[in-house]
Amino acid sequence: MTEELIQLYRDYNAAMAANDTSVLAQLLAPEFTLAHMTGYVQPRAEWFQELEAGTMHYYSSVEDHVSVHEMVTGWQIVGQSRVVARIHGGSKSEWPLNTDLRVQRVADHWQIISAVVTTY
């Protein structure tokens, strides 16, 4: 199961780096929220609008480390990746991002319920 969850983390990062909202829609629960490193908690639909409009544009994500932890209410995946992005008109930059995903099994597949992103 650990490898399956690590692959979910990798799929999430690959879809984000490709700005692929159709793949992200399959991975993220409808109630998904993304807490950015600024502290802003963004609903899934709003994040998708920013990806599609290009106001948030991701270029790449290179994984440094990922771990999986069982919780009472599901699973936690914590990964560190170096992400290159251009956010809200800023310059294209690389950030070392720590992404804390909360994951639950829904029917026959995993869904990401939330993501909290900070730097490391």
Side-chain angles (χ1 to χ4, degrees), residues 1 4 73-75 103-111 113:
M1 179 171 329
E4 187 178 0
T73 59
W75 292 82
V103 178
Q104 291 181 343
R105 189 88 173 161
V106 178
D108 63 342
H109 64 282
W110 293 103
Q111 280 200 316
I113 306 302

Side-chain angles (χ1 to χ4, degrees), residues 35-120:
H36 293 278
M37 61 184 183
T38 62
Y40 178 64
V41 178
Q42 189 171 43
R44 179 180 113 149
E46 183 182 307
W47 186 42
F48 284 5
Q49 288 173 346
E50 292 214 52
L51 291 172
E52 291 164 356
T55 53
M56 297 187 88
H57 185 86
Y58 298 93
Y59 295 92
S60 65
S61 177
V62 177
E63 179 183 308
D64 286 333
H65 181 264
V66 62
S67 61
V68 174
H69 312 278
E70 187 172 9
M71 302 176 63
V72 174
T73 59
W75 292 82
Q76 175 188 35
I77 306 167
V78 179
Q80 292 82 35
S81 297
R82 288 169 279 120
V83 175
V84 176
R86 182 179 35 77
I87 306 298
H88 298 134
S91 62
K92 184 177 173 181
S93 300
E94 181 179 273
W95 288 283
L97 297 183
N98 184 84
T99 302
D100 182 340
L101 300 176
R102 300 303 161 115
V103 178
Q104 291 181 343
R105 189 88 173 161
V106 178
D108 63 342
H109 64 282
W110 293 103
Q111 280 200 316
I112 301 169
I113 306 302
S114 66
V116 176
V117 177
T118 56
T119 57
Y120 67 97

